[in-house]
Amino acid sequence: MVKPIPSRFNPDLLARDSTQYSLNLPLGQFGRLRELLLDDTAELQAVFRFSRRKNTVLVAGTLKTSFTLECQRCLEPMQLLVEEPFELAFAKTEAAAQEMPEGLDPVVLDDNGQIHVVDLFEDELILHLPAVALHAQLDECKADFIQENIGTEEQVGKNDAVETTERKNPFDVLKNLDLH
Protein backbone atom coordinates (compact mmCIF):
# COMPACT_ATOMS: atom_id res chain seq x y z
CA MET A 1 0.00 0.00 0.00
CA VAL A 2 1.35 3.44 -0.96
CA LYS A 3 0.36 6.38 1.22
CA PRO A 4 1.08 10.10 0.93
CA ILE A 5 3.32 11.44 3.66
CA PRO A 6 2.34 14.38 5.89
CA SER A 7 4.35 17.59 5.54
CA ARG A 8 5.76 17.20 9.08
CA PHE A 9 6.24 13.80 10.69
CA ASN A 10 8.01 11.67 13.30
CA PRO A 11 10.14 9.06 11.49
CA ASP A 12 10.21 6.77 14.53
CA LEU A 13 6.42 6.36 14.35
CA LEU A 14 6.49 5.76 10.58
CA ALA A 15 9.17 3.05 10.94
CA ARG A 16 6.80 0.91 13.02
CA ASP A 17 4.76 -0.19 10.00
CA SER A 18 6.06 -1.30 6.62
CA THR A 19 4.08 1.20 4.59
CA GLN A 20 5.55 2.55 1.39
CA TYR A 21 5.13 6.29 1.02
CA SER A 22 5.03 8.48 -2.07
CA LEU A 23 5.59 12.18 -2.49
CA ASN A 24 5.08 14.72 -5.26
CA LEU A 25 6.44 18.09 -4.23
CA PRO A 26 7.14 21.18 -6.39
CA LEU A 27 10.82 22.15 -6.43
CA GLY A 28 9.67 25.71 -5.71
CA GLN A 29 9.12 24.68 -2.08
CA PHE A 30 12.84 23.96 -1.59
CA GLY A 31 14.22 27.42 -0.73
CA ARG A 32 17.97 26.77 -0.99
CA LEU A 33 17.63 24.51 -4.03
CA ARG A 34 15.34 26.99 -5.81
CA GLU A 35 18.12 29.62 -5.73
CA LEU A 36 20.39 27.29 -7.75
CA LEU A 37 17.89 26.53 -10.52
CA LEU A 38 16.77 28.54 -13.55
CA ASP A 39 13.23 27.20 -13.25
CA ASP A 40 11.59 25.63 -10.23
CA THR A 41 8.33 24.40 -11.79
CA ALA A 42 9.34 20.72 -11.91
CA GLU A 43 8.32 18.30 -9.19
CA LEU A 44 10.20 15.93 -6.95
CA GLN A 45 8.72 12.44 -7.08
CA ALA A 46 9.84 10.14 -4.32
CA VAL A 47 8.85 6.65 -3.26
CA PHE A 48 10.32 5.44 0.03
CA ARG A 49 9.94 3.29 3.12
CA PHE A 50 10.99 3.80 6.74
CA SER A 51 12.75 1.01 8.61
CA ARG A 52 14.82 0.37 11.70
CA ARG A 53 18.38 -0.97 11.85
CA LYS A 54 19.43 -1.59 15.44
CA ASN A 55 18.70 1.74 17.19
CA THR A 56 18.66 3.82 14.01
CA VAL A 57 15.62 4.79 11.98
CA LEU A 58 16.29 4.85 8.23
CA VAL A 59 14.42 5.98 5.17
CA ALA A 60 15.29 4.53 1.77
CA GLY A 61 13.80 4.87 -1.67
CA THR A 62 14.14 6.59 -5.01
CA LEU A 63 14.16 10.28 -5.95
CA LYS A 64 13.11 11.41 -9.41
CA THR A 65 13.10 14.97 -10.74
CA SER A 66 14.39 17.25 -13.47
CA PHE A 67 16.55 20.31 -12.82
CA THR A 68 16.61 23.29 -15.17
CA LEU A 69 20.14 24.67 -15.03
CA GLU A 70 22.25 27.11 -17.04
CA CYS A 71 24.83 25.39 -19.24
CA GLN A 72 28.15 27.03 -18.44
CA ARG A 73 29.37 26.47 -22.00
CA CYS A 74 26.55 28.10 -23.96
CA LEU A 75 24.67 29.91 -21.12
CA GLU A 76 21.38 28.42 -22.33
CA PRO A 77 18.90 26.43 -20.23
CA MET A 78 19.46 22.69 -20.00
CA GLN A 79 17.63 19.83 -18.33
CA LEU A 80 19.30 17.42 -15.94
CA LEU A 81 17.27 14.33 -15.15
CA VAL A 82 17.82 12.81 -11.73
CA GLU A 83 16.59 9.35 -10.78
CA GLU A 84 18.64 8.04 -7.89
CA PRO A 85 18.25 5.75 -4.91
CA PHE A 86 18.84 7.21 -1.46
CA GLU A 87 19.16 6.09 2.14
CA LEU A 88 19.15 8.49 5.08
CA ALA A 89 19.48 7.89 8.82
CA PHE A 90 17.75 10.03 11.43
CA ALA A 91 19.61 11.53 14.39
CA LYS A 92 18.09 13.35 17.34
CA THR A 93 21.01 15.79 17.72
CA GLU A 94 24.03 17.06 15.79
CA ALA A 95 26.27 15.15 18.20
CA ALA A 96 24.38 11.92 17.51
CA ALA A 97 24.75 12.57 13.76
CA GLN A 98 28.53 12.94 14.15
CA GLU A 99 28.73 9.63 16.02
CA MET A 100 26.91 7.63 13.34
CA PRO A 101 28.89 4.93 11.57
CA GLU A 102 30.56 5.91 8.32
CA GLY A 103 28.40 5.26 5.31
CA LEU A 104 25.20 6.55 6.89
CA ASP A 105 23.92 9.94 5.74
CA PRO A 106 22.40 11.56 8.84
CA VAL A 107 19.43 13.91 8.95
CA VAL A 108 18.95 15.79 12.23
CA LEU A 109 15.44 15.96 13.69
CA ASP A 110 14.02 19.03 15.44
CA ASP A 111 13.54 19.31 19.22
CA ASN A 112 10.20 17.46 18.97
CA GLY A 113 11.73 14.48 17.13
CA GLN A 114 10.08 15.51 13.88
CA ILE A 115 11.17 16.74 10.48
CA HIS A 116 9.54 18.67 7.67
CA VAL A 117 9.42 16.78 4.39
CA VAL A 118 11.29 19.63 2.61
CA ASP A 119 14.12 19.44 5.16
CA LEU A 120 14.32 15.68 4.64
CA PHE A 121 14.99 15.87 0.88
CA GLU A 122 16.54 19.30 0.20
CA ASP A 123 20.17 18.44 0.99
CA GLU A 124 19.88 15.19 -0.95
CA LEU A 125 18.63 17.09 -4.01
CA ILE A 126 21.37 19.72 -3.74
CA LEU A 127 23.98 16.93 -3.69
CA HIS A 128 22.72 15.82 -7.11
CA LEU A 129 23.52 19.20 -8.70
CA PRO A 130 26.66 19.13 -10.83
CA ALA A 131 29.60 21.35 -9.85
CA VAL A 132 29.54 22.76 -13.40
CA ALA A 133 26.39 22.36 -15.46
CA LEU A 134 27.16 21.43 -19.07
CA HIS A 135 25.15 19.84 -21.85
CA ALA A 136 26.18 16.20 -22.09
CA GLN A 137 27.18 16.58 -25.74
CA LEU A 138 28.80 19.58 -27.41
CA ASP A 139 26.28 19.46 -30.25
CA GLU A 140 23.46 19.98 -27.70
CA CYS A 141 24.91 23.39 -26.87
CA LYS A 142 23.38 26.30 -28.67
CA ALA A 143 26.61 28.22 -28.46
CA ASP A 144 27.10 29.56 -31.97
CA PHE A 145 30.31 31.20 -30.80
CA ILE A 146 31.78 27.76 -30.04
CA GLN A 147 31.27 26.66 -33.64
CA GLU A 148 32.50 30.03 -34.92
CA ASN A 149 35.65 29.85 -32.78
CA ILE A 150 36.36 26.29 -33.84
CA GLY A 151 36.08 27.39 -37.48
CA THR A 152 38.32 30.41 -36.87
CA GLU A 153 41.04 28.31 -35.23
CA GLU A 154 41.02 25.88 -38.16
CA GLN A 155 41.37 28.77 -40.60
CA VAL A 156 44.24 30.33 -38.64
CA GLY A 157 46.13 27.05 -38.74
CA LYS A 158 45.70 26.78 -42.50
CA ASN A 159 46.30 30.42 -43.33
CA ASP A 160 49.90 31.01 -44.50
CA ALA A 161 49.50 34.77 -44.27
CA VAL A 162 49.30 34.68 -40.46
CA GLU A 163 52.52 35.99 -38.97
CA THR A 164 54.05 33.74 -36.34
CA THR A 165 56.64 34.94 -33.87
CA GLU A 166 58.95 32.57 -32.11
CA ARG A 167 58.78 32.80 -28.33
CA LYS A 168 61.91 32.66 -26.27
CA ASN A 169 62.18 29.87 -23.77
CA PRO A 170 62.69 31.46 -20.31
CA PHE A 171 64.80 28.46 -19.27
CA ASP A 172 67.40 28.93 -22.01
CA VAL A 173 69.59 30.88 -19.55
CA LEU A 174 69.94 27.71 -17.46
CA LYS A 175 71.83 25.99 -20.29
CA ASN A 176 74.81 28.28 -19.69
CA LEU A 177 75.10 27.61 -15.94
CA ASP A 178 78.10 25.60 -14.79
CA LEU A 179 76.77 23.23 -12.13
CA HIS A 180 80.12 21.45 -11.43
Side-chain angles (χ1 to χ4, degrees), residues 169-179:
N169 184 346
F171 299 104
D172 282 343
V173 295
L174 296 176
K175 290 180 188 177
N176 300 330
L177 288 177
D178 186 16
L179 299 175

Side-chain angles (χ1 to χ4, degrees), residues 7-25:
S7 62
R8 186 168 202 69
F9 58 90
N10 181 331
D12 190 44
L13 296 176
L14 298 180
R16 292 180 184 170
D17 61 8
S18 62
T19 303
Q20 184 170 330
Y21 292 90
S22 70
L23 169 75
N24 288 331
L25 196 61

